[in-house]
Amino acid sequence: MAAPVDDMFSRCVDPAKASNCVEVRFIDNVKGKGLFAKKPFKKGDTIFIERPLVSSQFLWNALYKYRACEYCLRALETAEENSRRLSGRAALSLPHPELCKVRPDRHQPCPHCQVMYCSAECRQAAWEQYHKLLCLGPSHHDPDHPLNKLQDAWRSVHYPPETSSIMIMARMVASIKQAEDKGRWQRLFSQFCSRTANEEEEIVHKLLGEKFQGQLGLLRNLFTTALYEESLSQWFTPDGFRSLFSLVGTNGQGIGTSSLSQWVHACDALELPSQQREQLDAFIDQLYKDIDKETGDFLNCEGSGLFLLQSSCNHSCVPNAEASFPDNNFLLHLAALSDISPGEEICISYLDVCQRDRSRHSRHKILRENYLFVCSCQKCMSQMDDADLTSEDEEEVEGEGETEDEMTDV
């Protein structure tokens, strides 16, 4: 059963405003539903801001000491602490430290298991939604605790770069078990269930690799031992667990938070004399070079979440909107990338910026393997007559005519 329209806006920061700006419509049996504008938006306008139903930091990301709030994923390191760890420069001092918005004095641990939150409000919200059930208490570091065994098993089959987390599923179960209105929470989560058994198997295979059947069975057994709930028994059967896995794999929206990134944006906004501006820009450029050398591309606290309204956005290779997390927490801001007219569908891209620049064949390959659909957006339709070559194939064909010296210079 699909969630009622009112429920679709229930996680928005301003549900009434969001429902006056956009609407969810059924399109057809292939695309399902879509999000449409009810009013005009200018490029750069915020369309809505939404909280996830559940979210979780990726497990390897947390293990590698990317410290984030257990509830809202806000980065807990100050910008200076973050830059020191990422660059390997233990004595580094950042200019304009007052621009860092992280407030360690507000951080609060769970009094039972010591996981950390950015505030008392987040600690309370987590406790009331799911943490009362998932709190490990003094068993937090016990490797034989069922939840710890589940997380270890997940890390052993899903390596970086991470795209999902078994703890999203655990928090879904716990949210329903703790809720007074269990039916409402089940109805909200049911909004994401739209895959056939064959599609689910393909998604699970993509997440877990060649030996996914055995891995999936192990995860289901550990999941059942740790979290079984009679009223949700369908989620613990082999087919139900695969469906739950598929739900998280296809609907999870990546979340990235960074105190350093926030500090850099604040520095960019400073009005400074030209010489000071040049010095600050040079400092930041060198810092990122040091970080790239020491750490590489993994800069953020990373996780994923299930966003009810955002999940109704379909894909386009030329999107007119994009999601971001400018508040350094799990609040998703959907903003217009171009002017949008009333009645126009609001589309995001399921591909990153680099992937969108690849050939039509490459884009379709990524979308088929990860989301199980063939894109028919305006860009793809205009490139229908292009050769069926991946971007890598195209580069090889172009390279055949180059001399050795030319290839070395590239």
Side-chain angles (χ1 to χ4, degrees):
M1 179 190 299
V5 173
D6 287 349
D7 280 343
M8 295 296 294
F9 297 91
S10 62
R11 304 297 289 184
C12 290
V13 171
D14 190 338
K17 181 180 178 182
S19 63
N20 287 329
C21 293
V22 297
E23 62 181 341
V24 179
R25 296 185 204 161
F26 178 77
I27 299 174
D28 56 42
N29 290 327
V30 176
K31 294 187 75 173
K33 61 183 182 293
L35 189 70
F36 293 83
K38 293 172 68 174
K39 54 158 281 188
F41 292 100
K42 293 291 186 183
K43 179 180 179 180
D45 283 353
T46 297
I47 299 170
F48 62 78
I49 303 173
E50 184 178 21
R51 302 180 188 88
L53 282 170
V54 288
S55 61
S56 178
Q57 186 179 7
F58 293 146
L59 294 179
W60 279 107
N61 189 258
L63 193 66
Y64 284 138
K65 303 188 186 307
Y66 289 79
R67 295 169 47 220
C69 174
E70 275 286 309
Y71 181 68
C72 76
L73 273 72
R74 184 184 300 277
L76 297 178
E77 289 180 305
T78 65
E80 190 164 87
E81 290 171 336
N82 190 222
S83 61
R84 287 175 177 175
R85 178 172 60 81
L86 294 176
S87 68
R89 296 167 58 188
L92 178 69
S93 295
L94 295 186
H96 305 287
E98 73 282 356
L99 296 179
C100 177
K101 296 182 180 180
V102 176
R103 297 291 176 263
D105 57 302
R106 298 193 66 215
H107 296 173
Q108 295 269 332
C110 170
H112 309 290
C113 68
Q114 305 305 308
V115 297
M116 192 63 71
Y117 298 94
C118 69
S119 65
E121 291 80 7
C122 276
R123 186 184 72 181
Q124 187 65 23
W127 184 259
E128 291 176 355
Q129 183 180 336
Y130 55 75
H131 190 65
K132 187 185 301 182
L133 182 73
L134 298 180
C135 180
L136 300 182
S139 300
H140 184 59
H141 297 292
D142 179 4
D144 292 324
H145 190 284
L147 272 176
N148 285 332
K149 292 175 74 171
L150 176 65
Q151 293 179 75
D152 286 342
W154 176 255
R155 277 190 290 262
S156 73
V157 299
H158 190 74
Y159 293 96
E162 297 169 274
T163 58
S164 189
S165 173
I166 195 77
M167 291 310 293
I168 291 280
M169 298 163 61
R171 290 180 180 182
M172 290 172 67
V173 171
S175 294
I176 293 173
K177 290 177 75 169
Q178 283 193 205
E180 291 186 10
D181 187 351
K182 292 178 171 51
R184 180 173 183 271
W185 276 90
Q186 286 181 277
R187 187 173 71 240
L188 292 174
F189 287 130
S190 73
Q191 176 64 18
F192 298 100
C193 295
S194 58
R195 296 290 175 181
T196 67
N198 184 56
E199 289 175 325
E200 288 161 3
E201 186 160 304
E202 290 187 48
I203 295 163
V204 173
H205 191 116
K206 181 70 179 177
L207 283 173
L208 294 183
E210 293 298 323
K211 299 178 181 178
F212 81 97
Q213 287 288 10
Q215 296 167 338
L216 192 66
L218 171 64
L219 289 171
R220 186 177 72 85
N221 289 337
L222 291 170
F223 191 77
T224 301
T225 299
L227 296 161
Y228 185 76
E229 165 66 23
E230 183 63 34
S231 65
L232 297 173
S233 59
Q234 74 277 10
W235 280 1
F236 295 88
T237 65
D239 287 345
F241 188 67
R242 187 182 293 111
S243 177
L244 192 59
F245 215 94
S246 170
L247 181 159
V248 172
T250 53
N251 292 285
Q253 165 67 47
I255 300 170
T257 63
S258 169
S259 55
L260 177 59
S261 178
Q262 265 206 327
W263 175 83
V264 170
H265 286 306
C267 286
D268 289 342
L270 286 176
E271 294 185 6
L272 298 172
S274 58
Q275 185 176 1
Q276 291 183 33
R277 168 53 62 190
E278 289 176 7
Q279 291 174 341
L280 181 58
D281 289 347
F283 176 90
I284 292 171
D285 288 344
Q286 185 59 50
L287 175 59
Y288 275 116
K289 288 177 182 177
D290 293 341
I291 290 173
D292 184 61
K293 183 178 180 181
E294 179 74 15
T295 308
D297 295 332
F298 295 99
L299 305 184
N300 300 335
C301 297
E302 295 181 350
S304 65
L306 295 176
F307 294 85
L308 200 55
L309 187 58
Q310 179 265 354
S311 73
S312 64
C313 292
N314 286 312
H315 164 83
S316 170
C317 296
V318 190
N320 58 9
E322 71 173 353
S324 64
F325 299 88
D327 296 326
N328 191 34
N329 63 10
F330 64 14
L331 286 179
L332 180 149
H333 292 236
L334 190 74
L337 289 175
S338 59
D339 292 352
I340 301 174
S341 303
E344 185 177 347
E345 185 176 6
I346 298 171
C347 292
I348 59 176
S349 178
Y350 300 170
L351 305 173
D352 63 33
V353 175
C354 294
Q355 290 171 335
R356 293 203 296 270
D357 288 335
R358 300 178 73 180
S359 70
R360 175 179 181 269
H361 188 66
S362 289
R363 298 195 308 272
H364 278 208
K365 184 174 185 289
I366 296 167
L367 292 169
R368 277 198 309 271
E369 289 180 351
N370 292 279
Y371 300 99
L372 307 176
F373 72 89
V374 176
C375 183
S376 59
C377 72
Q378 184 178 358
K379 181 176 181 178
C380 286
M381 296 304 289
S382 70
Q383 297 175 340
M384 280 185 66
D385 295 330
D386 289 3
D388 284 342
L389 296 173
T390 66
S391 296
E392 291 82 357
D393 292 334
E394 291 168 349
E395 289 170 3
E396 289 177 7
V397 170
E398 291 170 2
E400 288 174 1
E402 296 177 338
T403 67
E404 184 175 346
D405 286 342
E406 289 172 333
M407 292 177 70
T408 303
D409 290 341
V410 173

